[in-house]
């Protein structure tokens, strides 16, 4: 994982951006932002994005949001980045009287609400607000933590209020400048000479770090994020070599270097709780590799925490490919953690899409290094995420059982699958919005929806929003598919969105979904279903989807006659919604 310098990012501005996906950005800042704009555009280029950036006039954040004729609105940006600096915040604080200082954070958060409210009332966009770096003006010393009229107290409170506001406004995201400051320090954050000369709040060395954080948020919205950690064991998950040292000899626990591995495992476990899939890829005898997970009292990770456990003497490239075939996710959504530079290089060379961090030689530094990479950015978190690892464990069991069947139909019947098709409601809406943002492969049109978008869709009398849950004898998949359709003139039901988790490919769920669409069309008086396939870099999997289901093509659309439709064979019992 490379850390770029400002000069490297600036050179990217001269490179050919043709053919890269274009994202429209608006930046509203109260200090000079031209260097930040250059760093952001340059960093986005390293991620294969071409940013078209419009900058508001200097120090005109509120005024720009207020002006209905502003180019902020006519340019229709996909993201609005708001950057109000701690320096300007401190200036406003010093000008306020004693009473105003007591309510300083509340006054400022109300203005942020006004700004975001104005923007949201005029355009559909995602807002990224860069929070406030800490400035301790030392007026009260440590007593500033006890007095609500101090700048330190009010600026920290303002950052808390920003987090609370982001919980209320689903399209508001906080870019955590304060955490970057804590990681890299004021020496990296500020350059007083540049600030005095140019009013640029941040140093040139720091700007690439901020540009990465902002880009990470945009990539997450675009469905590009990490879903899985593949973990080596010896000298990565624990100290020592289990095959040589035995279970009693490996280092994990509260003593010495074992403490570093314990903290590392605790972090990995928290990732699993958040919805990141855990897999093991180790050169080991399987029974020996599993023993610490089953019997070591200090292990933070247990065998049931691992979705796919691969331990053998094959090369790790082949084993990672095997893990990918089970999980059925892209290599670019995987992170491989291994202490051995040789193994890391082999995997990077053979599978360039996978992320392979260069772990430090000292295990005590593993976590501090990994924190800085911000590998697991997300713009959503639902209850379903917490169950994801177990669902992939169940899928590994299905894959193993499938190998014992020679006939695919017999295997599908043996699963005893049940599907529940229901209208989207307040409980399922967050998961459906998340699916639209995260689904890349089985996604016919790759349209992304926020929770607010989904609420509007579900309230539209001419739109139909369905979700499908699936379970089988191994367990519950949860919500794995969503359909959004809308009535169009000519008694046509247009399929706006058809998405499905790749975990259930070749199970027949798409046939259940088609039956539900046909029933919905008949109930609404529509004679035809109309579908569209819009190619993307990742959805080639569904290129022939409509043709395979019996649709016929007319120009760029696919049609199915509802009245002559014959249901296809599938081995899934559809059950009434609860």
């Amino acid at each position: 994982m490379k850390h770029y310098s400002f000069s490297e990012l600036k050179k990217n501005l001269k490179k050919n951006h043709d053919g890269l996906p274009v994202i429209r950005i608006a930046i509203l800042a109260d200090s000079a932002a031209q260097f930040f704009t250059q760093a952001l555009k340059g960093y986005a280029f390293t991620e294969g994005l071409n940013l078209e950036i419009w900058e508001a006039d200097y120090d005109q954040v509120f005024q720009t949001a207020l002006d209905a004729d502003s180019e902020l609105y006519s340019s229709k940006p996909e993201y609005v980045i708001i950057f109000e600096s701690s320096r300007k915040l401190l200036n406003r604080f010093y000008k306020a009287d004693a009473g105003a200082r007591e309510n300083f954070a509340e006054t400022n958060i109300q203005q942020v609400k006004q700004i975001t409210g104005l923007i949201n009332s005029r355009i559909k966009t995602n807002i990224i607000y860069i929070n406030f770096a800490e400035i301790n003006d030392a007026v009260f010393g440590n007593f500033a933590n006890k007095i609500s009229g101090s700048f330190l107290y009010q600026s920290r409170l303002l950052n808390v209020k920003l987090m609370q506001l982001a919980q209320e406004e689903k399209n508001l995201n906080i870019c955590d400048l304060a955490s970057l400051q804590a990681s890299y320090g004021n020496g990296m954050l500020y350059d007083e000479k540049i600030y005095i000369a140019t009013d640029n709040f941040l140093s040139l060395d720091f700007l690439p770090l901020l540009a990465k954080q902002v880009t990470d948020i945009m990539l997450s919205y675009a469905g590009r994020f990490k879903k899985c950690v593949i973990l080596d064991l010896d000298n990565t998950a624990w100290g020592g070599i289990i095959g040589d040292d035995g279970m009693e000899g490996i280092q994990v626990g509260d003593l010495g270097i074992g403490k570093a591995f314990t903290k590392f495992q605790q972090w990995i476990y928290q990732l699993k709780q958040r919805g990141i899939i855990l897999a093991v890829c180790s050169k080991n005898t399987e029974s020996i590799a599993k023993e610490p997970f089953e019997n070591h009292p200090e292990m933070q990770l247990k065998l049931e925490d691992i979705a796919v456990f691969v331990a053998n003497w094959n090369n790790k490239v082949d084993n990672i490919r095997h893990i990918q075939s089970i999980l059925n996710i892209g290599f670019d959504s995987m992170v491989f953690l291994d202490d051995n530079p040789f193994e890391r290089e082999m995997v990077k060379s053979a599978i360039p899409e996978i992320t392979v961090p260069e772990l430090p030689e000292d295990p005590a530094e593993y976590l501090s290094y990994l924190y800085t990479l911000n590998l697991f950015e997300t713009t959503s978190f639902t209850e379903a995420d917490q169950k994801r690892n177990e669902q992939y464990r169940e899928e590994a069991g299905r894959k193993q059982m499938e190998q014992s069947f020679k006939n695919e139909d017999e295997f599908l019947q043996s699963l005893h699958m049940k599907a529940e098709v229901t209208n989207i409601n307040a409980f399922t809406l967050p998961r459906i919005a998340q699916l639209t943002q995260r689904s890349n492969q089985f996604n016919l049109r790759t349209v992304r929806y926020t929770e607010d978008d989904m609420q509007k869709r579900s309230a539209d009398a001419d739109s139909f929003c369905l979700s499908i849950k699936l379970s089988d004898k191994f367990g519950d998949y949860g919500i794995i598919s969503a359909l959004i359709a809308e009535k169009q003139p000519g008694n046509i039901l247009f399929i706006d969105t058809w998405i499905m988790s790749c975990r259930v490919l070749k199970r027949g769920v798409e046939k259940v979904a088609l039956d539900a669409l046909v029933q919905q069309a008949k109930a609404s008086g529509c004679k035809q279903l109309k579908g569209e396939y819009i190619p993307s870099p990742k959805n080639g999997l569904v290129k022939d989807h409509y043709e395979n289901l019996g649709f016929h093509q007319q120009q760029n659309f696919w049609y199915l006659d509802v009245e002559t439709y014959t249901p296809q064979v599938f081995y899934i019992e559809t059950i009434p919604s609860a």
Side-chain angles (χ1 to χ4, degrees):
M1 300 289 292
K2 182 176 181 179
H3 288 285
Y4 295 92
S5 67
F6 178 77
S7 61
E8 286 177 309
L9 297 184
K10 193 173 180 181
K11 290 177 182 177
N12 288 342
L13 304 181
K14 298 180 180 179
K15 295 178 181 178
N16 186 1
H17 289 60
D18 293 346
L20 298 180
V22 175
I23 297 179
R24 299 183 306 279
I25 308 290
I27 295 179
L28 283 62
D30 66 358
S31 56
Q34 63 269 32
F35 292 155
F36 170 61
T37 297
Q38 291 171 354
L40 181 60
K41 188 173 178 65
Y43 186 84
F45 177 81
T46 69
E47 294 289 348
L49 300 176
N50 181 11
L51 301 189
E52 290 184 353
I53 300 178
W54 175 83
E55 287 184 62
D57 291 340
Y58 170 83
D59 200 11
Q60 296 289 300
V61 177
F62 181 75
Q63 295 86 337
T64 301
L66 189 62
D67 182 6
D69 296 323
S70 167
E71 194 174 341
L72 165 64
Y73 301 118
S74 62
S75 64
K76 296 182 179 179
E78 296 163 71
Y79 298 91
V80 175
I81 300 169
I82 302 174
F83 183 20
E84 298 187 281
S85 73
S86 300
R87 299 282 191 182
K88 293 292 177 68
L89 192 71
L90 181 61
N91 291 341
R92 294 202 299 272
F93 183 82
Y94 282 166
K95 292 177 182 178
D97 59 32
R101 290 183 179 186
E102 291 285 342
N103 297 295
F104 188 74
E106 181 61 28
T107 300
N108 278 272
I109 201 65
Q110 291 302 323
Q111 180 163 310
V112 174
K113 282 185 179 181
Q114 279 186 284
I115 292 169
T116 57
L118 285 165
I119 292 171
N120 286 328
S121 69
R122 290 169 177 162
I123 54 173
K124 176 187 173 183
T125 190
N126 292 302
I127 301 172
I128 300 174
Y129 195 101
I130 299 172
N131 71 2
F132 293 94
E134 188 169 294
I135 297 177
N136 186 350
D137 61 359
V139 170
F140 287 96
N142 287 293
F143 191 69
N145 293 279
K146 296 182 66 174
I147 182 167
S148 59
S150 72
F151 179 71
L152 187 67
Y153 186 102
Q154 289 294 321
S155 61
R156 285 176 173 171
L157 181 59
L158 178 55
N159 274 345
V160 172
K161 288 180 176 290
L162 281 170
M163 290 190 286
Q164 293 170 340
L165 180 61
Q167 290 179 321
E168 299 170 12
E169 299 186 8
K170 299 299 184 182
N171 71 325
L172 175 60
N173 307 270
I174 304 301
C175 179
D176 201 350
L177 176 58
S179 286
L180 286 176
Q181 178 187 26
S183 295
Y184 292 94
N186 284 342
M188 173 79 92
L189 181 73
Y190 298 121
D191 188 321
E192 298 294 345
K193 292 181 180 178
I194 287 183
Y195 174 70
I196 295 300
T198 67
D199 197 38
N200 276 281
F201 174 57
L202 303 174
S203 75
L204 295 182
D205 291 336
F206 190 83
L207 287 173
L209 302 173
L210 182 61
K212 178 187 183 304
Q213 295 285 318
V214 172
T215 305
D216 286 344
I217 294 172
M218 293 190 291
L219 289 173
S220 182
Y221 266 114
R224 290 172 54 184
F225 48 84
K226 306 305 178 189
K227 299 178 181 179
C228 172
V229 172
I230 302 175
L231 196 62
D232 175 49
L233 297 181
D234 292 335
N235 290 314
T236 302
W238 54 65
I241 300 173
I242 184 66
D244 295 338
D245 302 324
M247 191 174 72
E248 298 79 8
I250 62 172
Q251 296 167 308
V252 62
D254 291 329
L255 298 176
I257 196 61
K259 187 186 298 183
F261 292 104
T262 295
K263 297 299 181 186
F264 176 73
Q265 285 191 29
Q266 288 174 338
W267 182 67
I268 295 292
Y269 179 79
Q270 291 305 312
L271 290 177
K272 174 251 181 181
Q273 292 294 91
R274 204 215 82 180
I276 302 300
I277 308 161
L278 302 189
V280 161
C281 178
S282 174
K283 281 188 175 178
N284 257 310
T285 301
E286 183 176 315
S287 59
I288 295 174
K290 285 183 174 180
E291 189 177 3
F293 291 90
E294 297 171 325
N295 299 316
H296 198 296
E298 302 292 346
M299 283 286 289
Q300 305 298 304
L301 295 173
K302 304 300 182 182
L303 206 55
E304 59 265 25
D305 296 321
I306 311 302
V308 183
F309 197 107
V310 178
N312 55 40
W313 297 101
N314 298 336
N315 73 73
K316 291 190 176 180
V317 171
D318 289 341
N319 281 338
I320 289 173
R321 286 179 173 145
H322 172 65
I323 291 170
Q324 188 272 338
S325 71
I326 293 174
L327 298 178
N328 199 20
I329 59 177
F331 286 117
D332 60 349
S333 63
M334 293 178 164
V335 176
F336 175 55
L337 299 179
D338 194 313
D339 70 295
N340 190 319
F342 173 81
E343 300 286 5
R344 293 198 301 259
E345 189 58 37
M346 177 179 286
V347 170
K348 281 193 296 185
S349 298
I351 313 174
E353 303 96 327
I354 199 168
T355 297
V356 186
E358 294 294 324
L359 289 178
E361 291 186 12
D362 188 343
E365 298 176 356
Y366 283 179
L367 276 184
S368 58
Y369 168 69
L370 289 168
Y371 289 165
T372 67
L373 301 183
N374 191 38
L375 291 170
F376 302 100
E377 184 65 61
T378 186
T379 53
S380 63
F381 178 68
T382 68
E383 184 179 344
D385 292 320
Q386 301 174 61
K387 302 175 182 178
R388 182 168 292 113
N389 203 75
E390 180 59 29
Q391 290 170 343
Y392 277 97
R393 271 177 54 83
E394 293 165 357
E395 182 60 20
R398 294 181 188 98
K399 292 280 188 181
Q400 186 174 4
M401 189 183 81
E402 184 177 7
Q403 295 174 3
S404 66
F405 283 86
K406 294 182 179 180
N407 184 290
E408 184 178 357
D409 288 348
E410 290 180 3
F411 165 65
L412 293 177
Q413 291 180 66
S414 75
L415 290 176
H416 304 299
M417 293 180 285
K418 296 181 179 181
E420 179 182 337
V421 183
T422 185
N423 291 321
I424 292 175
N425 55 46
F427 298 102
T428 59
L429 188 146
R431 171 59 176 158
I432 302 306
Q434 186 187 69
L435 270 175
T436 70
Q437 294 165 16
R438 294 190 170 193
S439 299
N440 293 307
Q441 293 177 282
F442 198 113
N443 194 336
L444 274 297
R445 299 178 72 240
T446 319
V447 179
R448 312 292 186 188
Y449 287 114
T450 64
E451 289 185 34
D452 288 340
D453 296 330
M454 290 303 306
Q455 286 174 341
K456 293 174 184 176
R457 275 285 190 177
S458 60
D460 184 353
D462 288 328
S463 291
F464 306 96
C465 306
L466 303 175
S467 66
I468 301 177
K469 294 177 66 177
L470 187 71
S471 63
D472 63 18
K473 69 179 184 182
F474 284 94
D476 189 351
Y477 288 93
I479 296 173
I480 44 76
S481 186
L483 301 132
I484 302 171
E486 60 185 23
K487 291 181 67 175
Q488 290 186 344
N491 293 327
I492 289 174
L493 188 64
F494 175 64
I495 305 168
D496 172 90
T497 296
W498 191 337
I499 51 179
M500 191 172 78
S501 169
C502 289
R503 290 184 291 122
V504 295
L505 284 176
K506 299 182 180 180
R507 298 286 192 266
V509 177
E510 67 277 11
K511 298 174 184 178
V512 174
L514 181 57
D515 268 13
L517 282 170
V518 169
Q519 292 171 20
Q520 192 70 69
K522 289 180 177 179
S524 58
C526 293
K527 304 298 184 184
Q528 284 188 313
L529 291 179
K530 177 183 176 182
E532 182 183 25
Y533 168 67
I534 301 176
S536 77
K538 291 191 175 183
N539 73 353
L541 174 75
V542 291
K543 180 177 181 294
D544 301 321
H545 174 71
Y546 285 118
E547 183 177 6
N548 292 338
L549 289 177
F551 284 67
H552 65 277
Q553 188 174 17
Q554 292 182 20
Q555 296 180 336
N556 294 324
F557 295 97
W558 294 84
Y559 295 86
L560 182 75
D561 186 80
V562 170
E563 294 182 344
T564 60
Y565 168 73
T566 301
Q568 301 185 39
V569 175
F570 52 82
Y571 301 102
I572 302 174
E573 177 189 355
T574 55
I575 58 176
S577 60

